[in-house]
Amino acid sequence: MHLPLTSSSWFNQVERFFALLTDKKIRRGVYRRVAALRADITSFIDRHNADAKPFRWTKSAEDILASIERFCRMSSSSAMPSSTER
């Protein structure tokens, strides 16, 4: 199991922003000059910031920990061979 650092939530949002930029703008364009790519990135950022929304967690810490606990239980029970597999 991989548990990210507690301070990495901001990094996840940065990573998600660049994925959105790539999917919505860069992959759809054909760029023959760096200046054209920069202009498209700048216009995307300007449009994105014009309607900016703050990130809000939708789950409580208890919900997240319960989900991790369920995952651990499922993982440990599926990793052990059943009596018919021995």
Side-chain angles (χ1 to χ4, degrees):
M1 178 185 340
H2 170 73
L3 294 174
L5 301 172
T6 56
S7 61
S8 70
S9 63
W10 69 269
F11 186 71
N12 293 339
Q13 292 304 304
V14 171
E15 188 176 58
R16 184 64 205 125
F17 174 78
F18 280 108
L20 189 64
L21 169 65
T22 301
D23 290 343
K24 301 259 183 195
K25 196 60 163 173
I26 296 176
R27 280 198 189 129
R28 296 176 182 205
V30 175
Y31 302 100
R32 300 187 192 282
R33 298 178 334 216
V34 173
L37 174 61
R38 284 185 181 167
D40 261 4
I41 291 172
T42 301
S43 71
F44 178 85
I45 292 170
D46 290 342
R47 278 195 318 277
H48 181 79
N49 288 342
D51 188 30
K53 295 178 180 78
F55 175 76
R56 293 201 175 112
W57 289 107
T58 57
K59 288 191 175 185
S60 68
E62 292 80 18
D63 291 340
I64 294 169
L65 292 173
S67 175
I68 291 170
E69 184 179 347
R70 284 191 306 274
F71 175 78
C72 289
R73 276 194 305 242
M74 288 186 332
S75 296
S76 64
S77 65
S78 65
M80 301 192 64
S82 67
S83 58
T84 59
E85 294 176 347
R86 291 183 198 163

